[in-house]
Amino acid sequence: MKLDVEATVRAAQHGDAQAFATLVSTFSGPVCAIALGHLRDVARSEDVAQDVFVSAWQSLGKLRDPKSFLPWLRQLARNRSLEVLRRERRHRRRVVPAEDFDALAAAAIDPALGPADRLCLEEERRVVADALAQVPDDAREVLVLYYREGRSAAQVAALLELREDAVRKRLSRAREKLEAALAGRLEGLLSRTAPGAAF
């Protein structure tokens, strides 16, 4: 059964917490995907998504047209993600180098992981972040929604209120950038692992 978003938003605006919970469960994936597209970090994207939904619940009464809920929610996710990035840039300049902070955070997340597992997870995170950084923001959003949420181009187009051909073009552009970024990374890795003169 397809969700009547407009009716659900109206119910939530009148204080129906269950209706809002339905909106959260329906749109948590896309909101996380939008945040991930900007932040390139799963844990931070989930934190931002939670903040977005708290803010949405607090401000839902100010939303004049329930039909505009999804565009409003998407914009909240984008704005909050960009705000987090700006704050982190200012904070990095004053405090700990990002590499040190990332290593400390990774160790704190799951201390049961051994050093090799932590290194693998950190390298995986770095590869994904580096590859996504090569993709333009508008294409990154589409790419993350398409693959992470298992959506079709038509579904992504509906979620982002784009034409389906625009979604396909952005996906194609994003794939090309990813292939180039990953090929360059692989080339560097392979050249560094070649036997040296001491061999």
Side-chain angles (χ1 to χ4, degrees), residues 126-146:
R126 191 173 300 134
V127 167
V128 169
D130 290 350
L132 285 175
Q134 304 303 312
V135 178
D137 287 345
D138 63 339
R140 192 179 315 122
E141 241 178 45
V142 168
L143 182 81
V144 172
L145 271 172
Y146 185 83

Side-chain angles (χ1 to χ4, degrees), residues 97-109 118-119 122 125-126:
E99 298 80 21
D100 295 345
F101 180 78
D102 288 345
L104 291 171
I109 289 170
R118 281 200 300 267
L119 279 173
E122 179 60 24
R125 185 198 65 76
R126 191 173 300 134

Side-chain angles (χ1 to χ4, degrees), residues 132-169:
L132 285 175
Q134 304 303 312
V135 178
D137 287 345
D138 63 339
R140 192 179 315 122
E141 241 178 45
V142 168
L143 182 81
V144 172
L145 271 172
Y146 185 83
Y147 286 110
R148 188 164 189 247
E149 297 301 311
R151 307 220 181 245
S152 69
Q155 289 170 314
V156 172
L159 276 171
L160 297 178
E161 294 181 335
L162 297 169
R163 291 185 332 273
E164 194 173 336
D165 63 325
V167 167
R168 291 185 192 285
K169 282 182 186 174

Side-chain angles (χ1 to χ4, degrees), residues 4-199:
D4 182 347
V5 176
E6 193 176 336
T8 309
V9 169
R10 279 202 183 93
Q13 285 179 314
H14 289 96
D16 185 339
Q18 185 56 47
F20 190 73
T22 300
L23 292 171
V24 171
S25 66
T26 302
F27 297 114
S28 61
V31 169
C32 283
I34 288 169
L36 179 61
H38 290 279
L39 299 169
R40 299 182 286 275
D41 181 274
V42 173
R44 289 181 351 192
S45 70
E46 290 172 351
D47 289 345
V48 163
Q50 288 177 356
D51 288 349
V52 166
F53 283 111
V54 168
S55 179
W57 175 249
Q58 293 169 342
S59 305
L60 196 57
K62 298 175 188 173
L63 183 66
R64 290 191 179 125
D65 184 2
K67 290 178 189 171
S68 63
F69 176 76
L70 186 55
W72 175 68
L73 191 64
R74 284 193 316 259
Q75 198 56 47
L76 281 175
R78 289 179 187 125
N79 290 345
R80 180 70 179 128
S81 299
L82 294 173
E83 178 185 315
V84 166
L85 288 172
R86 281 191 298 271
R87 187 178 65 234
E88 287 175 354
R89 268 188 238 123
R90 284 193 305 267
H91 185 70
R92 273 191 205 121
R93 281 186 235 142
R94 292 184 305 216
V95 187
V96 193
E99 298 80 21
D100 295 345
F101 180 78
D102 288 345
L104 291 171
I109 289 170
D110 190 353
L113 291 176
D117 291 333
R118 281 200 300 267
L119 279 173
C120 286
L121 284 174
E122 179 60 24
E123 182 59 20
E124 181 180 284
R125 185 198 65 76
R126 191 173 300 134
V127 167
V128 169
D130 290 350
L132 285 175
Q134 304 303 312
V135 178
D137 287 345
D138 63 339
R140 192 179 315 122
E141 241 178 45
V142 168
L143 182 81
V144 172
L145 271 172
Y146 185 83
Y147 286 110
R148 188 164 189 247
E149 297 301 311
R151 307 220 181 245
S152 69
Q155 289 170 314
V156 172
L159 276 171
L160 297 178
E161 294 181 335
L162 297 169
R163 291 185 332 273
E164 194 173 336
D165 63 325
V167 167
R168 291 185 192 285
K169 282 182 186 174
R170 289 181 188 184
L171 275 172
S172 176
R173 194 172 29 155
R175 287 180 187 129
E176 288 171 9
K177 291 281 190 183
L178 277 177
E179 286 173 13
L182 292 174
R185 182 117 181 167
L186 179 61
E187 181 181 321
L189 176 65
L190 291 175
S191 67
R192 284 192 304 275
T193 60
F199 182 77

